[in-house]
Amino acid sequence: MGELIRTRDGRDLGVESYGNPKGRPVFLLHGTPGSRLGPAPRSAVLYRLGVRLITFDRPGYGASDRLPGRRVADAAADVEAIADALDLDEFAVVGRSGGAPHALACAALLPDRTARVAGLVSIAPRDAQGLDWFEGMTESNVREYINAAAGKGQLTTALEMRSITIRSDPRRSVDDMRHRLPKPDRGIVADAGIRAMLERNFEEGLRSSADGWVDDVMAFSTDWDFRLEDITTPVLLWHGEQDVFAPVQHTRWLAERIPGAQLIVERGAAHFGALRVLTRVLSWATW
């Protein structure tokens, strides 16, 4: 059931809860672009796992107010505000794709409340030392970050045009995306239920503007405002070896710097393989 939760600085966040209301609370942070309606296991699966799944629109997406100039670290305060409103003392956080760096922010900045964190198909910080950041990355994503480096205005123009196209025909946009995917991802997105979920997800996230998308890319392109080396929360990192949206070397770089991180790299999987392993990851997250 959806609701709006007010942050301490007066913003509204669109929040959904699924699964078992008395289950272990797990925040699932959506990709880029995305929304609280993004891919997630069915409620029956969540009940079987004993999971209370909480999703929310990051600022600027869907029903959530924008937070101008937000950094990746700001996600921790929003997760904490939602947890306080829902009377949750302790929780796990799982982030997929663009949600993964924000999940790591919770591990670093909310160590007393975040029991476990999983980052699926994550990118590394833009200034990652020793990492060829663009190697193996699809052209559309490279273009986003080049536009971000040129300035927020150029990025906004480009992503607003893309968001208008997605809003006008989300089904065609998902079909066009599917044809450009590596083979493992094409097989997953061929599923009609997955496609319908992606269409709903993108349509909701971009329903009024590209603001959330722009702010995500700008946040990824600047300092994340926390240190990976300071993380003490148990962290699981998963990546498909054939990923072209967030190349696998990004997660390998993260694993080398997060103390005690568990790394799983799956051969024969790519970016959307994260959807297939999500149930397994949620089981791990429910400590």
Side-chain angles (χ1 to χ4, degrees), residues 7 38 119 178:
T7 64
R178 180 165 62 93

Side-chain angles (χ1 to χ4, degrees), residues 11-271:
R11 293 175 292 112
D12 284 333
L13 297 172
V15 180
E16 298 274 347
S17 293
Y18 305 92
N20 188 342
K22 297 181 180 179
R24 294 278 195 179
V26 181
F27 283 85
L28 177 60
L29 309 189
H30 64 74
T32 301
S35 75
R36 68 193 187 282
L37 305 182
R42 296 187 301 274
S43 287
V45 174
L46 296 172
Y47 264 93
R48 176 171 56 81
L49 293 174
V51 169
R52 178 185 181 182
L53 195 68
I54 302 149
T55 65
F56 70 98
D57 299 327
R58 278 195 297 280
Y61 286 114
S64 292
D65 294 332
R66 192 178 196 181
L67 176 59
R70 64 177 165 90
R71 298 292 186 99
V72 172
D74 291 322
D78 285 348
V79 167
E80 188 171 40
I82 297 168
D84 289 345
L86 299 179
D87 293 323
L88 305 176
D89 293 328
E90 191 177 43
F91 45 82
V93 183
V94 175
R96 183 184 63 83
S97 189
H102 297 93
L104 295 176
C106 296
L109 301 174
L110 302 175
D112 295 333
R113 302 185 69 175
T114 308
R116 290 190 171 193
V117 167
L120 314 180
V121 294
S122 183
I123 57 170
R126 185 67 186 85
D127 61 354
Q129 295 295 314
L131 176 66
D132 187 343
W133 211 82
F134 289 123
E135 183 184 1
M137 186 178 289
T138 189
E139 181 183 350
S140 61
N141 279 25
V142 171
R143 190 164 52 246
E144 283 182 18
Y145 290 103
I146 290 175
N147 284 331
K152 188 175 181 179
Q154 183 166 317
L155 179 66
T156 299
T157 299
L159 293 187
E160 192 58 61
M161 292 177 63
R162 288 180 64 186
S163 69
I164 289 170
T165 300
I166 293 170
R167 285 198 301 270
S168 65
D169 194 344
R171 177 176 296 181
R172 181 175 178 179
S173 295
V174 170
D175 283 341
D176 288 346
M177 176 191 71
R178 180 165 62 93
H179 294 310
R180 297 193 301 270
L181 296 174
K183 185 176 179 180
D185 280 346
R186 288 199 305 273
I188 292 172
V189 180
D191 181 271
I194 295 291
R195 289 201 309 275
M197 188 182 296
L198 290 172
E199 291 163 15
R200 184 171 65 249
N201 175 45
F202 294 146
E203 186 175 23
E204 173 64 14
L206 303 173
R207 68 182 186 182
S208 59
S209 73
D211 288 349
W213 196 355
V214 170
D215 293 345
D216 265 1
V217 175
M218 292 303 298
F220 298 145
S221 300
T222 55
D223 194 292
W224 288 7
D225 279 359
F226 63 90
R227 283 170 36 90
L228 297 167
E229 293 80 2
D230 293 338
I231 292 175
T232 57
T233 300
V235 170
L236 171 68
L237 299 172
W238 183 94
H239 218 112
E241 196 172 50
Q242 298 182 39
D243 195 335
V244 297
F245 292 99
V248 66
Q249 64 265 25
H250 285 239
T251 282
R252 288 193 170 114
W253 188 94
L254 292 170
E256 291 173 357
R257 286 154 181 83
I258 298 173
Q262 178 183 350
L263 171 64
I264 299 175
V265 174
E266 187 168 333
R267 293 184 177 182
H271 197 71

